[in-house]
């Protein structure tokens, strides 16, 4: 079929829907309500998210399928996707946000009642908001001079490069080359500002991401170790225990995401 056919068919449906809705006084929920909902996720504001979800409007949510169950599934997929993007804008690691979105959407296809789909959809929004909140709380633990912007631009560039390449092999020399700096000088600047070596900072950030992957994804410890470029699963376990006080398996069993109800 040609593109013209699809465009024509969609336009006919669009015109008919607009006319029918206007004739019957049917309108969608206001856009500003949607903005408040996903802004709350982006800000990690769980209380505001709850308030937004509980607001009442005269409008209605769009129809995404004729079958009620399929409509609920499609709506859940849309909301989960929008929540994941809002969480990324709020600072959540993209791989975490994408993986959690995939997990929720796969769960959507396993559910068979509208009520369970509504519960899962809302749970995803609250979880994303809580995760952004935790990211922002961790940022507050940084030294005051970093929060206030009293930093060396080259050190900031180094930090940003590391955080963006945690799944790549990283060395101090390689990072210095990327930043066109002397490795020893970059190391001195970094320690002066961060009170930690570049190598230890890399491990610290990899363990931070590993914690989230253990909590919110189905990846095995071996997969996580490989993704974050640890030389072996045993070395990953050793460094994880040094920084968290427990093994990756114990951490996942204690804090990991529980299955959602059917």
């Amino acid at each position: 079929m040609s593109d013209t056919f699809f465009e024509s068919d969609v336009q006919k449906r669009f015109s008919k829907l607009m006319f029918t809705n206007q004739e019957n006084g049917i309108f969608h929920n206001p856009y500003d309500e949607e903005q408040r909902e996903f802004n709350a996720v982006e800000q990690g504001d769980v209380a505001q998210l709850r308030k937004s979800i509980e607001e009442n409007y005269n409008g209605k949510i769009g129809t995404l399928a004729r079958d009620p169950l399929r409509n609920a599934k499609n709506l859940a997929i849309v909301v989960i996707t929008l929540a994941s993007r809002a969480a990324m804008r709020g600072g959540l690691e993209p791989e975490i946000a994408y993986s959690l979105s995939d997990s929720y959407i796969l769960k959507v296809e396993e559910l068979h009642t509208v009520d369970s789909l509504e519960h899962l959809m809302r749970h995803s929004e609250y979880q994303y908001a809580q995760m952004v909140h935790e990211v922002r709380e961790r940022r507050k633990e940084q030294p005051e001079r970093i929060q206030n912007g009293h930093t060396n631009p080259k050190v900031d560039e180094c930090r940003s490069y590391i955080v963006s390449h945690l799944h790549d092999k990283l060395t101090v020399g390689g990072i210095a080359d990327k930043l066109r700096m002397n490795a020893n000088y970059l190391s001195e600047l970094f320690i002066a500002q961060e009170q930690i070596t570049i190598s230890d900072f890399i491990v610290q950030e990899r363990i931070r991401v590993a914690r989230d992957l253990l909590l919110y994804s189905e990846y095995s410890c071996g997969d996580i170790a490989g993704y974050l470029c640890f030389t072996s699963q045993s070395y990953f376990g050793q460094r994880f225990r040094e920084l968290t006080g427990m093994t990756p398996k114990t951490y996942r069993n204690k804090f990991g995401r529980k299955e959602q109800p059917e």
Side-chain angles (χ1 to χ4, degrees):
M1 294 184 182
S2 67
D3 291 342
T4 303
F5 171 81
F6 289 122
E7 183 178 348
S8 175
D9 190 50
V10 169
Q11 289 300 319
K12 287 178 181 178
R13 291 172 184 269
F14 167 68
S15 298
K16 182 179 179 181
L17 182 62
M18 287 291 293
F19 179 79
T20 301
N21 285 349
Q22 289 177 2
E23 283 289 300
N24 295 309
I26 299 173
F27 301 96
H28 288 82
N29 281 350
Y31 178 55
D32 60 349
E33 186 276 334
E34 179 181 308
Q35 285 185 303
R36 284 194 293 277
E37 186 172 322
F38 293 107
N39 282 344
V41 175
E42 183 176 342
Q43 297 299 320
D45 191 336
V46 177
Q48 180 57 45
L49 175 61
R50 181 174 293 106
K51 181 179 178 182
S52 177
I53 290 174
E54 292 174 351
E55 290 177 345
N56 293 318
Y57 295 95
N58 293 326
K60 57 173 288 189
I61 296 173
T63 301
L64 305 181
R66 292 187 177 88
D67 175 70
L69 182 61
R70 186 67 255 172
N71 182 70
K73 289 187 176 187
N74 289 347
L75 177 62
I77 291 170
V78 169
V79 170
I80 291 165
T81 301
L82 290 174
S84 70
R85 275 46 176 186
M88 282 188 270
R89 293 194 300 273
L92 187 63
E93 178 82 14
E95 182 64 22
I96 301 295
Y98 283 132
S99 297
L100 185 58
S101 174
D102 291 347
S103 299
Y104 269 115
I105 290 172
L106 287 172
K107 187 65 176 178
V108 163
E109 296 303 329
E110 297 175 3
L111 300 181
H112 304 292
T113 68
V114 172
D115 286 345
S116 64
L117 287 161
E118 167 77 15
H119 176 77
L120 183 76
M121 179 180 74
R122 295 310 182 192
H123 189 279
S124 73
E125 290 185 277
Y126 285 121
Q127 184 170 6
Y128 274 120
Q130 181 60 39
M131 291 168 75
V132 172
H133 172 75
E134 291 169 1
V135 167
R136 294 185 171 222
E137 287 299 305
R138 285 200 293 266
R139 287 177 180 172
K140 291 179 182 178
E141 296 173 0
Q142 294 178 331
E144 184 179 353
R145 69 185 182 286
I146 297 177
Q147 294 182 43
N148 294 335
H150 303 314
T151 61
N152 184 295
K154 283 297 183 181
V155 174
D156 291 346
E157 193 175 348
C158 179
R159 282 174 54 94
S160 296
Y161 183 84
I162 290 170
V163 171
S164 299
H165 293 80
L166 292 173
H167 56 286
D168 295 331
K169 184 177 180 180
L170 292 171
T171 64
V172 176
I175 296 169
D177 287 344
K178 290 290 183 181
L179 302 184
R180 298 181 180 179
M181 293 184 67
N182 176 274
N184 290 333
Y185 181 55
L186 176 61
S187 295
E188 291 173 4
L189 288 178
F190 197 93
I191 292 172
Q193 176 171 304
E194 305 293 331
Q195 281 86 57
I196 187 175
T197 67
I198 293 175
S199 296
D200 284 344
F201 178 76
I202 292 170
V203 172
Q204 174 184 287
E205 289 302 293
R206 283 176 169 160
I207 295 301
R208 175 184 62 77
V209 174
R211 287 169 57 188
D212 287 339
L213 287 170
L214 288 166
L215 291 180
Y216 304 117
S217 80
E218 302 299 326
Y219 294 152
S220 69
C221 293
D223 288 340
I224 293 171
Y227 172 71
L228 293 172
C229 280
F230 284 95
T231 53
S232 67
Q233 184 175 340
S234 60
Y235 180 63
F236 165 59
Q238 174 191 331
R239 298 311 303 266
F240 191 93
R241 187 165 189 170
E242 288 174 3
L243 293 176
T244 68
M246 62 186 77
T247 66
K249 183 177 179 181
T250 301
Y251 187 86
R252 168 170 273 169
N253 290 340
K254 185 173 182 179
F255 302 112
R257 178 169 60 91
K258 303 298 187 292
E259 286 294 321
Q260 302 305 316
E262 296 289 342

